[in-house]
Amino acid sequence: MDQCCGDTPYGLAQRGILCCKNVLYKDREDEEECSESGVPYKPLKETVCVSKRHNSPGGHCCGEDLYHPNKTICCKGH
C-alpha cells in the first residue's frame, strides 16, 4: 500500500483499482477512467453526464442528458 484514496490505502500496482474524487472503486476494467463528476466510466464506449451513463462515446452533456449542439442549445442544464 503506497497511495491513499480519501482515507483508504491502496497500491498503484493493484489491478482493477480506481480512485475517483477520494472514493476507491474495486474490480474495475483497465479502460475505465474517472468522469468529471467522479463516476468510473469507459470513455471509448460511454459518456457520463453528471452521474448518468449514456452508451454514446464523446457525447455532449446538458444536465444529465445528451444533446446535439448542431441541432439544439443547452441553457443551464435544459
Side-chain angles (χ1 to χ4, degrees):
M1 304 298 177
D2 57 358
Q3 299 291 312
C4 291
C5 184
D7 295 333
T8 308
Y10 73 101
L12 283 178
Q14 288 179 276
R15 301 235 356 143
I17 301 292
L18 187 61
C19 181
C20 298
K21 295 199 173 190
N22 293 320
V23 176
L24 190 65
Y25 294 91
K26 297 180 180 180
D27 300 320
R28 308 315 300 186
E29 296 179 27
D30 287 343
E31 67 268 14
E32 288 184 287
E33 297 178 5
C34 299
S35 70
E36 289 181 19
S37 59
V39 176
Y41 80 114
K42 299 174 188 172
L44 296 176
K45 296 181 180 178
E46 303 172 300
T47 297
V48 174
C49 298
V50 184
S51 60
K52 186 176 178 182
R53 294 175 194 273
H54 300 276
N55 291 327
S56 177
H60 297 274
C61 295
C62 183
E64 287 191 334
D65 297 314
L66 292 177
Y67 81 106
H68 300 282
N70 57 342
K71 296 180 181 177
T72 58
I73 63 169
C74 177
C75 298
K76 295 185 179 181
H78 301 284

